[in-house]
Amino acid sequence: MNIVMILDNAFHPDVRVFKEASFFIERGHHVDILCYDGRGAFLDKKEDNINGIHVKRYYFRTKIGTFFTDKISFKFHYFFYVLWLFKFFFACRKYVKNNTADFIYSHDLICGFMSTLFFRKYKKVFDMHESYKKGRNDRIRNNITEKFLHFTQRKSNIIIYVNEVQKHFADRKSLSKFISLPNYPILKDYETGKNDNHRFTVSYIGVIRKDDLILNLCEAAADLDCSVEIHGMGLKDLSAQKVNTYKNAHYYGAFDGTVDAKKLFRNCDLLYSVYDINNLNWRMAFPVKFFEAMASGTPVIASKDSSYGKLVEEKNIGYTVEWNNIKAIRETILCSIKNKDEYEVKRSNCINLKNEYSWEGKINELIDYMEQKV
């Protein structure tokens, strides 16, 4: 099969997209990734080859557009973003016409929707990376999103979903096209052993969505006999400076999720995976790092009443806390340090469960299904 993947980021690389493309290559298929380098971060790598994956990046910003969006008003950003997005898809269509594509494989809602407009005659795969509805207070936005979502699903041939909640908001007539591909880890990449002779370490590993959650962890662990490591991009400079004022905490910044994650888990004894569950997506989603923790035998601190938090309680693979309760977070860390027997039980449960959450099994099911549809 010849697969053209389209995504609206610069693929630096996007971990989920990289994993999908890599397994298609491993199975003998050809993959082109067409991506939008919105900030011009890869102007020296407009054409790239990453592990056999052909990557082509497009950049459409102009000096006048950047001046309006960055210097005058951020409101102009939306106008120019739509303009650049259409330019991007015209370029994608030109590329596809000059090459061969058995499937147009679009990542997330914006690219999925645009692909229905630009690639009507092609077979389309719509990969839903997340739930697109927000909290109850965003009713108007949710209604508009739902219309775009249902239209995209009706026009797609295959719809990939990561959790069952996405099916609740789906177009009923499109459910037969759904195939599951959760954010499971590649099991062979992870070891359950830990680095020897290191201090008990609580880590946050992943993109930082809300600074307060990171600062809550640092405050909770202050003066405890442990280290706190924060890995991931997104923390504001002021917050990063504040993290580093704690004697036992350090912010390390961005990391390469395709290479570094497995190394970081070897030095992680407890994964901090607490999110604000007032956000519907954070309440219902299963973070990638949650499954990576299981693959590496690492217990988790999760948000109480979240979907993954309920799994933590059911399988006894970690601890749950109220997402904004610093005292509860502190007591949980203290418990995991002092009550070693209980901690080891949770760690053993992670190791025993990891084979139930294998990327290898799920991605091969998807590839088999697509091969039948060519």
Side-chain angles (χ1 to χ4, degrees):
M1 293 186 296
N2 291 298
I3 298 157
V4 175
M5 293 189 172
I6 302 178
L7 63 156
D8 63 347
N9 63 50
F11 189 66
H12 37 78
D14 182 303
V15 176
R16 179 180 172 90
V17 180
F18 177 77
K19 285 162 60 179
E20 288 174 86
S22 295
F23 271 80
F24 278 105
I25 295 291
E26 196 174 290
R27 288 278 296 264
H29 303 296
H30 179 80
V31 178
D32 291 304
I33 294 182
L34 309 181
C35 51
Y36 174 52
D37 183 10
R39 296 191 174 276
F42 293 88
L43 293 179
D44 59 333
K45 293 184 178 179
K46 289 185 177 181
E47 294 272 349
D48 209 351
N49 189 292
I50 304 175
N51 288 15
I53 306 164
H54 173 240
V55 181
K56 187 172 178 61
R57 298 184 175 95
Y58 295 90
Y59 176 74
F60 295 105
R61 278 198 174 209
T62 58
K63 288 183 179 180
I64 188 169
T66 302
F67 175 77
F68 271 97
T69 57
D70 294 352
K71 302 296 184 183
I72 296 182
S73 173
F74 187 73
K75 292 178 182 179
F76 285 106
H77 172 79
Y78 298 104
F79 169 78
F80 282 101
Y81 175 72
V82 172
L83 177 63
W84 294 326
L85 188 65
F86 270 86
K87 282 189 172 184
F88 171 52
F89 269 87
F90 275 116
C92 289
R93 186 163 68 181
K94 181 179 179 181
Y95 181 89
V96 171
K97 281 184 176 180
N98 293 331
N99 294 274
T100 304
D102 295 305
F103 285 97
I104 302 297
Y105 196 121
S106 302
H107 293 272
D108 269 325
L109 181 55
I110 290 175
C111 288
F113 173 74
M114 294 295 287
S115 292
T116 64
L117 304 181
F118 279 81
F119 300 102
R120 295 181 184 181
K121 296 180 180 180
Y122 290 85
K123 293 175 183 174
K124 290 175 286 293
V125 178
F126 172 32
D127 189 349
M128 301 190 299
H129 289 205
E130 60 180 308
S131 300
Y132 300 107
K133 285 198 170 186
K134 304 300 178 183
R136 295 177 182 175
N137 295 331
D138 294 313
R139 188 171 297 174
I140 296 175
R141 180 178 175 179
N142 282 340
N143 288 338
I144 295 171
T145 299
E146 186 177 83
K147 291 184 186 302
F148 277 94
L149 180 62
H150 288 182
F151 176 84
T152 305
Q153 289 171 344
R154 286 194 296 270
K155 298 296 182 181
S156 300
N157 301 90
I158 298 173
I159 302 165
I160 300 171
Y161 70 103
V162 297
N163 61 63
E164 292 298 318
V165 175
Q166 291 172 303
K167 295 173 78 173
H168 298 166
F169 303 123
D171 174 57
R172 299 292 100 185
K173 295 179 181 179
S174 300
L175 286 174
S176 61
K177 296 183 282 188
F178 274 53
I179 185 165
S180 173
L181 185 61
N183 289 315
Y184 295 161
I186 301 172
L187 293 185
K188 64 182 176 65
D189 287 349
Y190 291 83
E191 303 172 28
T192 56
K194 300 295 180 182
N195 290 333
D196 295 330
N197 301 320
H198 75 278
R199 192 181 187 189
F200 190 92
T201 301
V202 185
S203 300
Y204 179 91
I205 302 172
V207 176
I208 297 165
R209 307 292 186 185
K210 194 170 183 178
D211 288 17
D212 289 351
L213 296 173
I214 301 302
L215 297 176
N216 286 351
L217 168 62
C218 295
E219 183 63 30
D223 302 323
L224 294 183
D225 186 19
C226 68
S227 296
V228 174
E229 294 187 357
I230 311 299
H231 302 274
M233 61 182 181
L235 195 64
K236 296 180 179 66
D237 290 343
L238 193 62
S239 298
Q241 292 170 16
K242 191 168 183 180
V243 167
N244 292 329
T245 63
Y246 292 90
K247 292 180 180 179
N248 62 342
H250 189 76
Y251 174 56
Y252 291 90
F255 63 94
D256 184 344
T258 63
V259 177
D260 298 334
K262 51 193 172 187
K263 298 177 184 176
L264 298 179
F265 273 103
R266 282 191 62 81
N267 201 49
C268 172
D269 299 291
L270 187 63
L271 181 73
Y272 179 74
S273 186
V274 174
Y275 296 92
D276 178 357
I277 62 171
N278 289 320
N279 180 297
L280 179 65
N281 193 49
W282 293 347
R283 184 167 73 249
M284 307 310 296
F286 285 79
V288 177
K289 297 300 175 287
F290 170 72
F291 293 112
E292 290 178 332
M294 266 194 283
S296 63
T298 308
V300 179
I301 303 179
S303 299
K304 198 174 188 64
D305 297 324
S306 64
S307 293
Y308 67 100
K310 291 173 184 175
L311 185 63
V312 167
E313 293 171 348
E314 178 189 342
K315 303 295 186 180
N316 192 23
I317 52 176
Y319 313 84
T320 58
V321 297
E322 298 291 341
W323 69 271
N324 57 352
N325 189 328
I326 296 175
K327 183 180 178 182
I329 297 169
R330 181 181 178 83
E331 290 172 351
T332 298
I333 297 171
L334 197 58
C335 175
S336 63
I337 295 171
K338 291 192 170 183
N339 194 336
K340 292 184 178 179
D341 289 341
E342 181 184 348
Y343 170 83
E344 287 299 329
V345 168
K346 295 178 187 297
R347 184 164 141 67
S348 296
N349 290 342
C350 288
I351 295 170
N352 292 336
L353 277 171
K354 69 174 190 173
N355 288 322
E356 295 183 21
Y357 304 98
S358 160
W359 174 268
E360 291 93 325
K362 285 292 186 180
I363 189 66
N364 281 316
E365 286 178 10
L366 171 64
I367 296 172
D368 290 343
Y369 183 72
M370 288 177 62
E371 286 174 343
Q372 295 171 13
K373 296 291 183 180
V374 175

